[in-house]
Amino acid sequence: MASDRLVCRECHRVNDPDSETCDACNSSSLTEDWAGYVVIAHPEDSEIASEMQVTEPGAYALKVR
């Protein structure tokens, strides 16, 4: 379930619940306090990816606290 996952405070990438570092940027600043979920398949064609400054496909949180 998505709500059990950890999100990186740096890049907003959604990670597995047992992760100690972010899969995308290797940051150790992960949190359970996030809201919203978007999956970006083709960041080069996505206005949302552009707005979020996302360059890699994956799942991202919209709001991270």
Side-chain angles (χ1 to χ4, degrees):
M1 183 175 207
S3 63
D4 294 339
R5 301 203 175 185
L6 296 172
V7 171
C8 178
R9 286 187 177 104
E10 304 297 323
C11 70
H12 291 208
R13 181 80 174 246
V14 177
N15 294 275
D16 290 327
D18 58 345
S19 296
E20 292 186 19
T21 60
C22 176
D23 296 334
C25 71
N26 293 320
S27 171
S28 60
S29 182
L30 304 176
T31 182
E32 295 175 337
D33 193 6
W34 60 279
Y37 188 81
V38 63
V39 176
I40 298 175
H42 302 284
E44 63 279 355
D45 300 326
S46 170
E47 289 182 31
I48 294 172
S50 177
E51 184 71 27
M52 293 179 66
Q53 300 177 349
V54 169
T55 58
E56 296 295 322
Y60 294 86
L62 296 175
K63 184 174 183 180
V64 179
R65 290 169 262 204

